[in-house]
Each structure stands twice: as structure tokens, then as C-alpha cells.
């Protein structure tokens, strides 16, 4: 792996190692953690945990969780383990392909499965020059397989929380509807009046309920970026800087 640096998350509450070049988690991972309604004593599995940012942000917000992260790339799995050790947060990291999970993971059922699958189909674009970034961002395992693995690892009534690009929503919904119920979608719009680029999906295993499409969560104030600073809305600032949970509408 290339050189590393520590990045601050949750307003500097967490300092986590990530590669200077290659795949680097950003606000997507923080939003995924914030959208997960976990409670103390519950078990959470993250598929494709990378350097552990989403799981560790969740652990920082909700003490008393049992967290397991599965990561395909050994170098990123090692970073996740290092980040967990240095922060003192309870993340067990397993280096494995999610389609060939080790017996210790397959023997367990979880209350929540969280995931940020690769955004880009490689039959629709070019590969990233950095191998680590390419593996993290370029889909090798079909999106439907990610959803199916999540369903198998969840206990009845357990929740899947996923974040994905809006253009992949038809695939994600099709896969989720085959094995989950009570599906909710929260579009993430960059600015007021702009089309959502990302979506958060929540679904329950073995539960029935109407499909719910929520109004977009707007990330930035104003119609355009006009100066220095990130211009996040007050709600996003609370989530990103202060570790506040994301409130699903309704």
C-alpha cells in the first residue's frame, strides 16, 4: 500500500488511517453509520469495511455494540484492524471474500448489516489506476450478491442499511425486494433543487410493510458553492461533525 495519513472524522473525535492514494472513505461512510439504528448489545456486520470508517463511526456513536467487518483486500483489512486498535473501539476484522465467508462469520446472525458496495459497473466504465481504489470502486461481485449475503447473515427482523449511487437504484431495489420487506429509500441531494446522486436504503428481513420513498436529505446549503468551507446544512453538520444519528423521516 502507498503512504498513509490520519484523517479526522466526527469533528476530530476519530483519527483514522487511510492511504494517501487509493480508496479513501468520506462522508458516504459517515452517513452509512449515522443511518444505522443500532442499540447497545446488538451485533452489526459490515460487508466491505475498507479501513473501518463506517463501523468505527457507528461504534463511536453507540457504545456496547458487537461489530464485525469483512474486507477482501488484506492491506485495507489491516488498516481497519489498526484503526480499531488505536481508537479502542470494538471492531473484529475478517479478511475474506463476502461470497466465501469463513465459518465463524457464517455461524452468526446479526441485527444489522451495513454496506457501501462498489459504485461502478466495470462493463460501463474504465478502471481506476490504483489497484486498491479499483477493487473498492469497481464492481466485481454483482450487487445482487451483496444483498443476498446480507439477507443470509441477518436474523429475522434484522435491518439492511446500504448506500449506493442513484443510477444503480433499479438494481439495488430489485435485489432487495426479492429478499426484504419494509423497504425505505432516502435520496441524498447535493443542494436544494438538485437531483440526488446517492441513496440510502433500509430494509427488514422477514417483515412486511409499504415501500416508502422519503423526501431528499439535502447535503449543502445554497444553490451553488460560493466560497471557502463545505457549506453543509445544519443537519449534515450535526451528523458529520458531532456524530448525531440520521433521522429517517416519519
Amino acid at each position: 500500500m502507498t503512504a498513509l495519513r490520519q484523517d479526522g472524522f466526527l469533528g476530530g473525535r476519530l483519527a483514522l488511517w487511510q492511504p494517501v492514494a487509493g480508496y479513501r472513505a468520506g462522508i458516504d461512510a459517515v452517513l452509512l453509520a449515522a443511518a444505522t439504528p443500532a442499540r447497545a448489545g446488538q451485533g452489526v456486520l459490515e460487508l466491505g469495511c475498507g479501513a473501518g470508517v463506517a463501523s468505527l463511526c457507528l461504534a463511536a456513536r453507540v457504545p456496547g455494540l458487537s461489530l464485525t467487518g469483512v474486507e477482501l483486500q488484506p492491506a485495507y483489512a489491516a488498516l481497519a484492524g489498526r484503526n480499531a486498535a488505536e481508537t479502542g473501539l470494538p471492531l473484529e476484522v475478517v479478511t475474506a471474500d463476502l461470497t466465501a465467508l469463513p465459518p465463524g462469520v457464517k455461524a452468526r446472525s446479526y441485527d444489522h448489516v451495513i454496506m457501501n458496495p462498489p459504485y461502478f459497473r466495470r462493463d460501463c466504465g474504465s478502471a481506476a489506476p490504483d489497484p486498491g481504489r479499483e477493487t473498492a470502486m469497481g464492481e466485481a461481485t454483482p450487487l445482487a450478491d451483496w444483498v443476498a449475503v446480507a439477507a443470509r447473515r441477518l436474523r429475522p427482523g434484522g435491518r439492511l442499511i446500504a448506500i449506493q449511487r442513484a443510477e444503480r437504484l433499479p438494481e439495488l431495489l430489485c435485489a432487495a425486494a426479492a429478499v426484504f420487506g419494509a423497504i425505505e429509500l432516502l435520496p441524498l441531494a447535493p443542494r436544494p433543487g438538485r437531483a440526488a446522486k446517492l441513496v440510502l436504503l433500509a430494509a427488514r428481513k422477514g417483515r412486511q410493510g409499504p415501500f416508502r420513498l422519503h423526501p431528499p436529505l439535502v447535503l449543502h446549503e445554497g444553490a451553488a458553492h460560493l466560497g471557502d468551507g463545505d457549506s453543509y446544512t445544519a443537519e449534515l453538520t450535526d451528523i458529520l461533525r458531532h456524530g448525531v444519528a440520521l433521522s429517517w423521516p416519519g
Side-chain angles (χ1 to χ4, degrees):
M1 182 176 285
T2 59
L4 305 176
R5 80 176 189 200
Q6 279 187 306
D7 295 318
F9 292 90
L10 305 184
R13 183 176 174 185
L14 294 179
L16 304 178
W17 292 103
Q18 297 202 92
V20 173
Y23 175 72
R24 300 172 51 75
I27 71 166
D28 301 15
V30 184
L31 289 169
L32 180 63
T36 303
R39 303 188 307 273
Q42 291 187 325
V44 181
L45 173 66
E46 183 178 4
L47 299 177
C49 71
V53 174
S55 286
L56 294 173
C57 285
L58 179 57
R61 178 170 63 85
V62 186
L65 295 175
S66 174
L67 288 138
T68 303
V70 173
E71 172 54 41
L72 174 64
Q73 300 187 76
Y76 284 86
L79 269 186
R82 178 180 179 181
N83 285 329
E86 292 188 6
T87 58
L89 294 171
L91 174 62
E92 173 194 3
V93 183
V94 177
T95 306
D97 188 320
L98 65 91
T99 62
L101 294 173
V105 177
K106 293 173 72 173
R108 285 179 263 172
S109 294
Y110 298 86
D111 299 284
H112 306 270
V113 173
I114 66 175
M115 63 185 194
N116 182 4
Y119 285 164
F120 303 106
R121 290 175 48 183
R122 276 299 159 250
D123 58 352
C124 300
S126 57
D130 177 85
R133 181 176 177 81
E134 169 57 22
T135 300
M137 298 298 292
E139 181 179 281
T141 301
L143 190 55
D145 289 355
W146 286 73
V147 174
V149 171
R152 289 195 292 270
R153 299 278 56 81
L154 280 166
R155 64 166 180 80
R159 286 183 173 88
L160 167 67
I161 307 292
I163 191 167
Q164 182 56 262
R165 285 181 67 88
E167 60 260 36
R168 304 294 304 277
L169 181 55
E171 296 168 72
L172 181 61
L173 271 179
C174 184
V179 287
F180 287 97
I183 296 173
E184 301 182 54
L185 281 177
L186 179 62
L188 304 174
R191 294 187 182 275
R194 299 273 293 274
K197 293 185 177 181
L198 296 171
V199 293
L200 279 163
L201 176 141
R204 302 289 294 274
K205 180 177 179 178
R207 296 289 176 88
Q208 299 300 313
F211 172 78
R212 301 181 70 185
L213 175 61
H214 296 294
L217 174 65
V218 177
L219 307 185
H220 297 273
E221 295 179 333
H225 186 70
L226 300 176
D228 294 336
D230 47 36
S231 70
Y232 288 122
T233 62
E235 183 174 3
L236 258 290
T237 298
D238 282 342
I239 291 169
L240 300 178
R241 304 288 184 251
H242 307 302
V244 173
L246 185 154
S247 297
W248 289 80

